[in-house]
Amino acid sequence: MSILLTGGTGFIGSHTAVELIESGYDVIIADNLSNSSASVIDRIEQITGIRPVFYKIDVSDKAALQNLFAEQDIDAVIHFAGFKAVGESVEKPLEYYRNNLDTTLTLLEVMEQFDVHQFVFSSSATVYGSENPYPYTETMKKGSCSNPYGWTKSMIEQILGDAAVANSNLSVVLLRYFNPIGAHESGLIGEDPQGIPNNLMPFISQVAVGKRPKLTIFGDDYDTPDGTCRRDYLHVVDLADAHVKALEYASEHKGVEIFNIGTGTPYSVLEIVHAFEKSNSVAVPYEIGARRDGDLPEFWADAEKAKTMLGWEAKRSLEDMCRDSWNWQKKNPNGYRE
């Protein structure tokens, strides 16, 4: 089977490409490299021994996407392409709505034109909003998102649901991620944020490698065991494996199905910092700052549905996540940039 990964040179997309290739799939990647590097293709080849087909295109460019589908016999699509920085989405909402919605709409139109009916979407736990109690389950109604990035995920889920109602052949799997961290054990691919990292683990790694002087922890007075926010962190390779399982499910399924992809175990910010220090024998200087607007005290997944229906569950430990994050960072102190 030939699988199109939109945004396939990004953090999650690149790891998913590796898992798909190692599972025997043919991988085609479409990415405009706005937030990634072409060198990722070389590194995927280093890891797997197979070079994925690569198209440097914007997925919202319908003519370019039609050309790709005409040249490649696509069986299914995993849609990662999209802007993803929460803070930036507040500053640039129109760019986020335009990009994230346009890429999805164009992709669906071209898939329909070429009779491709299997679609796996990179969604997010942010669609649960602040109203729902944790652990989050897939049967909960979606909540109010706190930023435009989250709203684009919620809106795209709605678009995909409506498309599946109109097209009975369409099979849609929505994977609601929690907090992916870690990197491939080779250290060849990993998370490479541009500018100041928005997420905790790359910031910790950059402090440890000396790129940043210290970590600021946003608040230590939450109603949690140590006062810092708690999240459901999972290893990115486990997350990538969930996409392989989702593809298998989509090939035998019609309509829309939603799965939480998390460990079901929350860790606090301080627990992550101390686990990183212990696993890697490095120091991570930090200070306590004020709370950050929009942060929930804690949330985590109920991932039982993915275990039951997909046969998927997270296998890697917090120690694995910390060790692999550090292995990537110390081997690539400037990310993919030389």
Side-chain angles (χ1 to χ4, degrees):
M1 288 180 67
S2 294
I3 314 302
L4 173 63
L5 305 187
T6 69
T9 59
F11 174 45
I12 301 170
S14 60
H15 287 82
T16 301
V18 168
E19 295 305 302
L20 287 170
I21 291 169
E22 293 184 340
S23 297
Y25 291 92
D26 296 320
V27 170
I28 297 99
I29 291 175
D31 202 309
N32 66 1
L33 304 179
S34 65
N35 192 32
S36 58
S37 169
S39 66
V40 171
I41 301 297
D42 299 328
R43 295 180 181 218
I44 291 171
E45 183 179 16
Q46 281 184 261
I47 294 169
T48 65
I50 296 173
R51 189 174 187 84
V53 176
F54 175 59
Y55 286 75
K56 185 184 177 182
I57 63 171
D58 192 314
V59 178
S60 64
D61 183 338
K62 192 168 188 178
L65 196 60
Q66 287 171 322
N67 178 65
L68 185 160
F69 272 75
E71 293 181 352
Q72 304 292 332
D73 187 15
I74 305 296
D75 294 296
V77 174
I78 304 179
H79 184 33
F80 297 105
F83 295 154
K84 63 177 185 177
V86 169
E88 185 181 61
S89 78
V90 176
E91 298 168 4
K92 302 176 180 178
L94 297 184
E95 289 186 26
Y96 270 68
Y97 286 117
R98 172 69 73 185
N99 180 74
N100 293 6
L101 298 182
D102 273 7
T103 53
T104 305
L105 292 167
T106 303
L107 185 56
L108 285 169
E109 289 170 350
V110 176
M111 285 176 63
E112 186 171 18
Q113 179 184 345
F114 286 87
D115 295 319
V116 179
H117 304 298
Q118 297 175 35
F119 194 110
V120 177
F121 178 54
S122 166
S123 193
S124 168
T126 191
V127 302
Y128 288 110
S130 60
E131 300 92 340
N132 284 304
Y134 35 78
Y136 295 150
T137 62
E138 295 89 344
T139 55
M140 291 174 173
K141 289 185 178 180
K142 291 191 294 184
S144 297
C145 299
S146 60
N147 55 76
Y149 161 77
W151 278 117
T152 66
K153 294 296 187 183
S154 185
M155 289 175 181
I156 291 169
E157 285 196 3
Q158 184 66 45
I159 289 167
L160 290 167
D162 292 342
V165 170
N167 181 354
S168 61
N169 290 319
L170 193 59
S171 173
V172 175
V173 179
L174 306 177
L175 298 183
R176 291 178 177 169
Y177 308 163
F178 281 70
N179 294 75
I181 58 176
H184 192 269
E185 64 181 2
S186 66
L188 285 168
I189 57 175
E191 189 168 9
D192 182 24
Q194 296 185 0
I196 300 173
N198 290 290
N199 298 324
L200 177 63
M201 185 57 82
F203 207 114
I204 288 174
S205 299
Q206 289 190 9
V207 170
V209 84
K211 286 191 70 174
R212 304 194 181 278
K214 60 187 173 184
L215 168 74
T216 297
I217 295 175
F218 299 110
D220 66 347
D221 57 350
Y222 288 97
D223 186 16
T224 61
D226 63 18
T228 64
C229 294
R230 298 203 300 168
R231 299 288 183 265
D232 188 335
Y233 295 93
L234 76 154
H235 199 292
V236 66
V237 177
D238 282 333
L239 175 57
D241 181 58
H243 292 80
V244 180
K245 297 290 196 297
L247 273 179
E248 295 168 0
Y249 182 83
S251 67
E252 302 174 351
H253 160 266
K254 303 297 181 186
V256 178
E257 202 68 63
I258 302 167
F259 296 98
N260 287 336
I261 305 299
T263 65
T265 301
Y267 294 102
S268 75
V269 175
L270 280 174
E271 283 180 301
I272 296 292
V273 171
H274 296 324
F276 188 95
E277 291 179 319
K278 182 178 179 181
S279 299
N280 300 309
S281 300
V282 294
V284 180
Y286 67 86
E287 65 179 8
I288 304 299
R291 290 188 181 192
R292 184 170 55 183
D293 289 343
D295 276 350
L296 297 176
E298 52 189 345
F299 63 79
W300 63 91
D302 180 329
E304 187 62 29
K305 183 179 177 182
K307 181 179 180 180
T308 301
M309 295 180 64
L310 297 182
W312 175 89
E313 60 182 326
K315 299 175 181 177
R316 292 162 180 82
S317 67
L318 178 57
E319 181 181 359
D320 295 329
M321 301 179 214
C322 293
R323 185 188 63 247
D324 291 339
S325 293
W326 178 235
N327 185 44
W328 152 256
Q329 186 70 72
K330 68 184 180 182
K331 287 182 176 179
N332 305 271
N334 296 312
Y336 293 110
R337 293 167 292 281
E338 297 297 333

